[in-house]
Amino acid sequence: MGKSTVWTVVGVVVAVVIAWFLVNAIFQVVWFIARLGMVAIVALIVFLVLRMLFARRDADD
């Protein structure tokens, strides 16, 4: 095996390891954003339901 072949194999291994960590980090960021969006939607629904319940209670008084 020549010197350039060894460096090619080392380069490929390093590229795969770096890509693995980058993809993992990107998926963590995307999952965090998706989770944040879901929390915002649920919080909005809960807020609207609570506002509706308190509006009915105030109208009954």
Side-chain angles (χ1 to χ4, degrees):
M1 224 184 335
K3 201 174 191 182
S4 67
T5 305
V6 171
W7 282 114
T8 301
V9 170
V10 169
V12 167
V13 169
V14 169
V16 168
V17 169
I18 291 172
W20 185 273
F21 284 112
L22 283 175
V23 168
N24 190 27
I26 290 169
F27 274 128
Q28 284 181 346
V29 169
V30 168
W31 174 240
F32 177 75
I33 292 170
R35 204 168 51 192
L36 200 60
M38 288 186 279
V39 167
I41 291 170
V42 170
L44 179 65
I45 292 170
V46 169
F47 171 74
L48 292 174
V49 167
L50 288 174
R51 195 172 81 169
M52 194 172 64
L53 288 174
F54 285 124
R56 279 192 195 157
R57 186 178 295 169
D58 289 343
D60 290 341
D61 290 339

